[in-house]
Amino acid sequence: MIKIALRGLTAAALLTVPLTTPAAADPARHVASMPLAAAVDLLPIAAESRDGYQRTAFKHWIDADRDSCNTRAEVLIAESRIPATVEAGCKVTAGEWYSYYDGVTVTAPSGLDIDHMVPLAEAWDSGASAWTAARREAYANDLDADRSLVAVTAKTNRSKADQDPADWLPPLTDARCTYTADWVATKLRWQLTVDDRERTALTGLAEGCGQQPVEYKPAP
């Protein structure tokens, strides 16, 4: 699975080299790297509001590059541990996916959902309500960051729904530090806020995750 493999490689690499702050990040890559606790401290705090939210405000599963593969198909193809079987019209019919939320391996794409790491409703609450429709579309189809979209079992995705880490964490305990880092990276990438309860939960999780790294590239 490309994204999960990259997570592991990135974590291993970051633990063997000095970490940088956003200000010291390589200007050629514009990537910020830091320990999880430091990343949590960067998240701005603001009250959340669901007023006016509609899922349709985020146009998703589009074919941005017009190659017949929509965003869901692109994620399935990228994350399959073996070459995915793709039929006419970019219909993905088979492959092998590792759902890192619960440690389950899936071979039928019908058993998978593509999870927005920070759910659309949570993004709305955290600042996306003020975005343009184009920016919300870019967020909902973000293929440029491995952490933004992830193929997981439908069961865990629907259990998570639109909850933040104060109310939901992956059932696989060993996945929780990675999940927390991915959540924080996504919020920082898109300049989303956290409320007090979410910040408290993230701070507590970071305390138990040692030098878990966070790496993110700000969204255009």
Side-chain angles (χ1 to χ4, degrees):
M1 181 176 182
I2 292 174
K3 289 185 180 179
I4 298 301
L6 287 175
R7 283 193 185 101
L9 290 172
T10 300
L14 288 172
L15 290 174
T16 59
V17 299
L19 295 172
T20 63
T21 64
D26 180 355
R29 296 180 65 221
H30 303 290
V31 173
S33 302
M34 68 206 77
L36 176 56
V40 172
D41 286 343
L42 292 179
L43 292 167
I45 299 176
E48 293 187 356
S49 174
R50 189 72 49 101
D51 291 350
Y53 170 71
Q54 293 183 327
R55 189 171 175 83
T56 53
F58 295 81
K59 185 177 180 181
H60 55 288
W61 302 171
I62 64 170
D63 178 10
D65 57 5
R66 299 182 180 181
D67 64 351
S68 299
C69 297
N70 66 18
T71 304
R72 173 182 166 83
E74 297 275 14
V75 175
L76 290 174
I77 292 167
E79 293 198 357
S80 180
R81 288 174 151 182
I82 61 175
T85 302
V86 184
E87 297 182 354
C90 200
K91 182 179 180 181
V92 181
T93 58
E96 182 179 291
W97 296 271
Y98 178 75
S99 169
Y100 94 91
Y101 290 2
D102 49 4
V104 173
T105 296
V106 179
T107 56
S110 60
L112 296 165
D113 281 353
I114 306 304
D115 182 37
H116 290 93
M117 175 54 58
V118 175
L120 302 181
E122 170 69 20
W124 178 274
D125 298 350
S126 306
S129 60
W131 292 353
T132 64
R135 186 165 179 82
R136 286 195 290 267
E137 179 178 309
Y139 176 84
N141 298 277
D142 186 10
L143 294 171
D144 293 329
D146 294 331
R147 296 159 179 82
S148 295
L149 299 168
V150 58
V152 295
T153 57
K155 178 180 179 180
T156 54
N157 184 51
R158 293 166 197 182
S159 171
K160 171 183 172 179
D162 59 7
Q163 299 175 94
D164 70 32
D167 296 307
W168 189 91
L169 289 168
L172 183 65
T173 303
D174 289 347
R176 291 179 179 177
C177 287
T178 298
Y179 179 81
T180 304
D182 290 351
W183 179 279
V184 172
T186 303
K187 285 224 159 178
L188 288 173
R189 171 170 167 76
W190 289 92
Q191 300 178 352
L192 295 170
T193 63
V194 294
D195 61 16
D196 288 330
R197 189 163 172 268
E198 181 184 351
R199 176 69 171 270
T200 297
L202 292 171
T203 299
L205 288 161
E207 289 174 353
C209 290
Q211 291 298 303
Q212 172 73 43
V214 171
E215 184 176 76
Y216 72 96
K217 183 177 181 179

